[in-house]
Amino acid sequence: MAATDKETIKNLAENGHIITAKEVADIDKAEKALTGNDHTVKNGLAATAQSMHDKQQTVLKMEADLKSKPESDITKDDAKELQTAEARLLGHRPPAGSAAATFQSIADKNEAAHQREDASIEGKKETAVKADQNGSTDKKEDAPTKDSDVSEQKEGATPSQDEAVPAKSDASSATSDTSPPKVTDASEKKDDATVPDATEITKKKAEIIKQMGEITKKKDEIAKKDEIAKKMDEVANKKDEIPDSREPGSQDSHP
């Protein structure tokens, strides 16, 4: 590849020329000899060739991966990734007839086929649902006959009123013979239980009355003692008022 500028390298890559690693090395060597520098010039001819080489290798690898897949498995995402890689290589949208366009067409066909398949599955589901609904409707129409049979069985199993009345009369006669429970023994026991309590209360009342009588008697004795003491005090006072006959000037004294 005899490339003298970057545009030439890009045009070669766009027209399908595969830039090899050897070509990149040759361009780099020639550029260093021309400039006298030992390192690759930034954004120079060799750097452009290296960039185009890397982008081409990315696109080629993606194309190989998609070709190895069954066409029915190729999706729109696969085609979109390849389209992005080719756009980076070319600097614009890939044209018609490119690898990206080819795989995009395959992906569109696969999606349409999947949609038809999904629609068919949905149609089958709807058909099955309708069939189930029709079957349930038929079962509901048959249900009243079964209900009528059940009602007839219930009517046959229900006894008539004439048959039920004797049973009730027997039950009433059985209940009429029962006598009320005896409660006299319990009441007598209660009366017997209350007698000792009343006797004990009367006895306690008598004791209390007796004690009160004794207290009253003691009070009377104390009152009598107080009265006697009072009289003795009065007698003593009177004695003090009587003059002594031995005192001079008294009437009983003798000259």
Side-chain angles (χ1 to χ4, degrees):
M1 179 183 69
T4 58
D5 55 32
K6 293 188 289 185
E7 292 298 328
T8 302
I9 294 174
K10 291 180 180 179
N11 289 332
L12 289 172
E14 184 176 354
N15 291 326
H17 177 77
I18 304 301
I19 301 173
T20 63
K22 184 178 183 304
E23 290 175 341
V24 174
D26 291 341
I27 294 172
D28 184 49
K29 183 178 179 180
E31 188 176 30
K32 287 178 180 178
L34 181 63
T35 59
N37 295 325
D38 294 336
H39 56 82
T40 302
V41 179
K42 185 178 181 180
N43 295 327
L45 191 62
T48 301
Q50 182 66 52
S51 176
M52 298 302 292
H53 168 75
D54 294 341
K55 291 177 181 178
Q56 279 184 334
Q57 293 301 315
T58 300
V59 171
L60 292 173
K61 184 178 184 305
M62 293 179 69
E63 289 179 1
D65 292 340
L66 290 178
K67 288 178 181 179
S68 64
K69 291 177 65 174
E71 285 191 0
S72 59
D73 293 342
I74 295 174
T75 63
K76 282 190 172 184
D77 291 336
D78 296 334
K80 186 177 181 180
E81 289 178 359
L82 179 59
Q83 184 181 21
T84 301
E86 284 190 358
R88 289 175 181 173
L89 173 64
L90 302 175
H92 55 78
R93 184 182 180 86
S98 63
T102 301
F103 284 107
Q104 182 65 50
S105 176
I106 295 172
D108 292 339
K109 291 179 181 179
N110 289 337
E111 185 177 5
H114 289 318
Q115 289 178 353
R116 288 193 298 271
E117 185 178 356
D118 294 339
S120 176
I121 293 172
E122 291 296 329
K124 290 180 180 179
K125 288 182 179 179
E126 291 179 359
T127 303
V129 170
K130 290 180 180 179
D132 293 338
Q133 291 177 350
N134 294 332
S136 61
T137 303
D138 296 337
K139 289 180 180 179
K140 288 181 179 179
E141 291 177 354
D142 296 338
T145 58
K146 294 181 179 180
D147 294 338
S148 61
D149 295 338
V150 173
S151 62
E152 290 176 358
Q153 292 178 359
K154 288 183 177 179
E155 290 176 357
T158 304
S160 61
Q161 293 181 355
D162 296 336
E163 294 176 353
V165 169
K168 290 183 179 179
S169 61
D170 294 339
S172 61
S173 61
T175 54
S176 62
D177 294 337
T178 58
S179 58
K182 295 181 180 181
V183 296
T184 55
D185 295 339
S187 60
E188 291 176 358
K189 289 181 180 180
K190 288 183 179 179
D191 294 338
D192 295 339
T194 55
V195 171
D197 295 338
T199 304
E200 187 175 355
I201 292 170
T202 304
K203 185 177 180 181
K204 288 183 178 180
K205 285 183 178 180
E207 291 178 356
I208 292 170
I209 293 170
K210 183 178 179 181
Q211 291 176 359
M212 291 178 66
E214 292 177 355
I215 292 170
T216 304
K217 186 177 179 180
K218 289 181 179 180
K219 285 183 178 180
D220 293 340
E221 290 178 355
I222 293 170
K224 287 180 180 180
K225 288 181 179 180
D226 292 338
E227 187 177 356
I228 292 169
K230 185 177 180 181
K231 288 181 178 181
M232 289 178 68
D233 291 337
E234 291 177 355
V235 171
N237 291 330
K238 287 181 179 181
K239 284 183 178 181
D240 293 336
E241 292 175 358
I242 298 172
D244 191 359
S245 59
R246 291 175 295 179
E247 292 180 358
S250 62
Q251 295 178 359
D252 295 335
S253 61
H254 298 281

